Amino acid sequence: MFDFYFHLPLIVRLVLQAIAVILFMFPVAAACSMAERKVCAWIQNRPGPNRTIAPIGGLLTPLGIVGRIPFLGPFLQQMGIFQLAADGGKFTFKEDPVPAHVNKFYFILAPIVAMIPALTTVAVVPVGAYYAVVNGQTILQPIVLANVDIGLLAVFAVSSLGVYAVILAGWASNSKYAFLGGVRASAQLVSYELAMTLSVLPSFLWMNKPGGQGTLSLFDAVQMQNGVWHGFSMASLHGMWGVFYMPISAFIFLVALFAETNRAPFDMAEAESELVAGFHTEYGAFKWSLFFLAEYCHMIIGSAVCILLFFGGWNILPWIPLTTLIDWLSHFIPFAAHPLFMGLVGIGIFVGKVFSFIFFFMWVRWTLPRFRYDQVMHLGWKKLLPLSIANLIFYTLGIALLQK
Amino acid sequence: MAVIQVERKPLTFAERTYIPQIIGGLWVTLKHFFQPTVTLQYPEQRPEIPKGYRGVPTLVKDPNGREKCVSCQLCEFVCPPKAIRITPGEISAESDNAHVEKGPQAFDIDMLRCIYCGLCQEVCPEEAIFLQNQFSMSGYTRAEMVNNKERLYELGGTLPDEHLKWDKKKTAEEHGNAH
């Protein structure tokens, strides 16, 4: 079965992988909306959605059957799992009005444009690693749709396109609030993109030795945190996560990530107390849910990149890379080093980290009030940008001195 | 007018970075995250009704099962939104309670008009109408929202009575010393 898969033509394998990733991303992004409601509820000492269950007629459906399993069913009901299906069904089947005053073509295009970058960036994000035999020697290979050397550049380039959807939606809606939301989103993106990009540069300064082979690959960024990256070796860095030796970078990246994904406290684009719902004021039903899903997809990708760069990727703990874990596990489990098992362990660890990040996003959202618009600009241009430049200069000098 | 100048402390560097405050806030929300919920699961759990609660107005019977209302219509007159409609009637001479003379033939309270002010209870000389603990009224039609006499007694039930004045009156009459 496993060998059969590897003997498929590359294009078939890539399509299968892409479908697998999208089939994973879509429900997870939807589940995040549920998680958001539950986390919000628990933070406010409420139970959150805990009533929905498939009706008796739903006994014919998988959800209806699962809901009737003793203990498990009521537990899932308490967790609001079935609410997810109800929400999804509602968004899919309810009337999808297009207001008369909008520019119809761009109005309908905007949610599609929102989804495309959100799902495209996954292609270059590695989610795990496995041992593969290439040319007779065993090397660690990433589990990734497209293992390209420009991984990070691709993520930045494509994910920034997401803001076009917001601007397009805001402009096509032909409404003041939506327009202001779009304008705010674009201004905010420009302000924080700079700081974000500058904050990750030190990470790649560590990796790329002058005159050596250059890379922007996210897999190599994790390899560096494994302590096995060949570019620049420093014994004390072995297995150390980026956040320990680049805390300022990690902090700036995280703050900018909140701004890039339009999450509270930076949710200027949809500030509901000021702009009704911002750029998606005029949207409803399925088109609105696409925006919603795109936001969560962006959060997932953003957290994934942050984890790859600063939080050790699929390594379970600092100083304990996946390879060490697998070596240790193989004392107990004979097939631990099998690509399938190792891949699943790596993906499991990585997805676990992504979920903790998503929780952190929600936690922050329900803790902090929204910044005022001028405060957002002030923070972006006068605080984060100088800080990230100073950070870059500091690491450039430091690395230059260390490499002498 | 005296002006009090409040000395405003300049923010420290740590405060200006927001970070200690943000961490403090995260700690507060995290504590709440693990606290038990305080929500009342309404249809299953019912709220505890405080004493003196003014719910749906109801008619009550005395401990002997006699309907207390004598259809004096004071409540009908006092009702600010005119929610009460009483049709007075005579109590037949064969009845045990013939000495009470009058009782309501029909007693309707329109709950779409009722404002739960409690004036009917306040004004009733017979202590026959009470605003009790029932707080949720619902129906599919306007007609369903009008409580008739049977429904009002069903909601009201029997309440203890300290005076039993009509029984005393009857006893007194039997012993020949009325008034």
Side-chain angles (χ1 to χ4, degrees):
Chain A
M1 169 69 194
F2 195 65
D3 291 332
F4 165 75
Y5 174 74
F6 273 96
H7 287 115
L8 286 172
L10 183 65
I11 183 82
V12 179
R13 266 161 47 195
L14 286 181
V15 167
L16 282 177
Q17 286 170 3
I19 290 172
V21 168
I22 288 176
L23 283 184
F24 178 76
M25 286 282 286
F26 233 86
V28 165
C32 282
S33 69
M34 197 65 246
E36 175 101 55
R37 291 173 70 180
K38 279 308 230 186
V39 167
C40 142
W42 286 329
I43 280 177
Q44 297 168 353
N45 291 10
R46 295 186 286 117
N50 62 351
R51 300 260 159 185
T52 318
I53 194 161
I56 292 294
L59 270 178
L60 304 172
T61 64
L63 275 182
I65 293 164
V66 169
R68 262 77 184 181
I69 297 173
F71 302 111
L72 177 69
F75 174 73
L76 293 179
Q77 188 188 3
Q78 283 291 317
M79 289 292 114
I81 300 295
F82 305 110
Q83 180 74 36
L84 191 60
D87 281 352
K90 187 194 87 172
F91 281 135
T92 315
F93 293 114
K94 77 186 272 194
E95 189 190 356
D96 198 352
V98 177
H101 57 78
V102 301
N103 187 328
K104 286 204 176 48
F105 178 70
Y106 294 111
F107 187 79
I108 293 166
L109 188 67
I112 302 167
V113 173
M115 274 320 278
I116 289 171
L119 291 177
T120 310
T121 35
V122 197
V124 294
V125 173
V127 292
Y130 63 98
Y131 282 124
V133 181
V134 177
N135 300 332
Q137 53 181 345
T138 310
I139 55 163
L140 207 57
Q141 282 284 328
I143 301 171
V144 60
L145 291 182
N147 186 17
V148 289
D149 272 348
I150 55 156
L152 186 76
L153 198 60
V155 170
F156 278 159
V158 181
S159 70
S160 312
L161 294 179
V163 81
Y164 282 96
V166 176
I167 299 169
L168 208 54
W171 176 76
S173 291
N174 192 12
S175 138
K176 290 186 198 75
Y177 296 121
F179 183 68
L180 276 175
V183 168
R184 280 181 176 199
S186 53
Q188 185 177 315
L189 185 100
V190 171
S191 319
Y192 283 80
E193 188 89 339
L194 275 171
M196 190 184 215
T197 317
L198 286 175
S199 73
V200 299
L201 282 182
S203 178
F204 290 94
L205 284 177
W206 286 109
M207 285 160 57
N208 292 302
K209 194 157 70 172
Q213 183 198 0
T215 182
L216 279 174
S217 163
L218 289 164
F219 174 63
D220 294 333
V222 180
Q223 287 293 81
M224 183 179 71
Q225 297 172 66
N226 287 348
V228 295
W229 172 244
H230 49 78
F232 176 72
S233 71
M234 202 169 122
S236 61
L237 285 187
H238 277 214
M240 204 172 179
W241 288 1
V243 65
F244 295 124
Y245 56 91
M246 295 178 289
I248 304 287
S249 290
F251 174 74
I252 297 170
F253 188 85
L254 205 57
V255 174
L257 190 60
F258 275 88
E260 295 274 302
T261 49
N262 281 330
R263 287 289 295 187
F266 295 101
D267 53 348
M268 288 286 104
E270 46 176 292
E272 68 270 6
S273 51
E274 304 153 26
L275 301 180
V276 191
F279 65 95
H280 53 53
T281 304
E282 308 288 340
Y283 284 87
F286 194 63
K287 289 202 276 292
W288 181 82
S289 70
L290 281 183
F291 276 121
F292 202 59
L293 283 181
E295 181 186 325
Y296 282 104
C297 287
H298 270 298
M299 274 164 63
I300 293 170
I301 301 296
S303 337
V305 172
C306 189
I307 288 163
L308 291 170
L309 288 176
F310 299 110
F311 290 90
W314 43 83
N315 300 324
I316 185 151
L317 284 171
W319 293 284
I320 305 178
L322 182 66
T323 45
T324 315
L325 179 74
I326 292 297
D327 286 346
W328 179 74
L329 274 180
S330 52
H331 292 303
F332 309 103
I333 310 166
F335 53 85
H338 190 273
L340 194 61
F341 182 80
M342 190 171 170
L344 284 178
V345 169
I347 291 174
I349 294 168
F350 188 71
V351 169
K353 283 186 182 179
V354 169
F355 284 161
S356 0
F357 256 74
I358 300 285
F359 171 74
F360 181 68
F361 269 93
M362 293 169 184
W363 183 16
V364 168
R365 171 166 179 189
W366 297 104
T367 300
L368 297 181
R370 183 181 305 117
F371 281 118
R372 215 170 51 214
Y373 186 63
D374 64 312
Q375 289 172 329
V376 169
M377 288 295 122
H378 185 261
L379 186 68
W381 288 104
K382 290 189 178 170
K383 297 283 154 63
L384 284 187
L385 187 60
L387 188 62
S388 57
I389 292 172
N391 180 53
L392 177 63
I393 292 170
F394 172 78
Y395 279 102
T396 314
L397 293 177
I399 291 165
L401 288 176
L402 278 172
Q403 282 186 333
K404 263 215 172 120
Chain B
M1 214 170 92
V3 175
I4 301 169
Q5 291 284 345
V6 178
E7 196 72 20
R8 219 175 259 276
K9 270 195 298 180
L11 296 177
T12 62
F13 177 74
E15 279 168 342
R16 275 187 286 135
T17 58
Y18 302 142
I19 293 166
Q21 275 70 33
I22 288 175
I23 292 170
L26 288 173
W27 173 240
V28 168
T29 42
L30 190 67
K31 275 194 290 190
H32 279 272
F33 187 82
F34 291 107
Q35 277 170 7
T37 59
V38 293
T39 309
L40 191 75
Q41 296 290 327
Y42 168 62
E44 294 90 26
Q45 298 174 358
R46 295 293 174 137
E48 197 184 314
I49 307 291
K51 209 163 168 283
Y53 183 80
R54 295 206 305 250
V56 172
T58 58
L59 290 178
V60 298
K61 294 184 172 168
D62 81 350
N64 301 329
R66 181 185 66 82
E67 58 174 331
K68 293 176 89 175
C69 178
V70 296
S71 68
C72 68
Q73 292 177 294
L74 272 177
C75 51
E76 187 176 351
F77 292 137
V78 81
C79 183
K82 299 194 192 316
I84 302 179
R85 184 60 41 95
I86 301 172
T87 313
E90 301 280 333
I91 295 179
S92 65
E94 292 90 58
S95 167
D96 284 348
N97 298 320
H99 62 292
V100 184
E101 294 176 13
K102 290 183 85 179
Q105 207 173 54
F107 198 120
D108 294 322
I109 301 182
D110 187 350
M111 291 315 296
L112 293 171
R113 305 196 76 164
C114 178
I115 58 169
Y116 300 85
C117 61
L119 283 185
C120 46
Q121 175 182 346
E122 196 77 18
V123 82
C124 183
E126 297 290 323
E127 297 187 353
I129 187 163
F130 280 93
L131 273 69
Q132 295 193 45
N133 289 351
Q134 173 85 19
F135 55 85
S136 72
M137 282 285 301
S138 59
Y140 289 103
T141 59
R142 282 165 186 275
E144 272 180 65
M145 294 300 286
V146 178
N147 286 338
N148 59 14
K149 198 171 125 180
E150 285 74 44
R151 177 95 180 111
L152 286 169
Y153 277 117
E154 185 193 320
L155 287 170
T158 304
L159 284 188
D161 188 339
E162 294 168 16
H163 316 299
L164 296 170
K165 74 171 186 185
W166 290 99
D167 288 352
K168 283 178 188 161
K169 188 174 186 235
K170 193 176 186 183
T171 324
E173 268 175 4
E174 278 163 6
H175 288 82
N177 53 353
H179 304 291

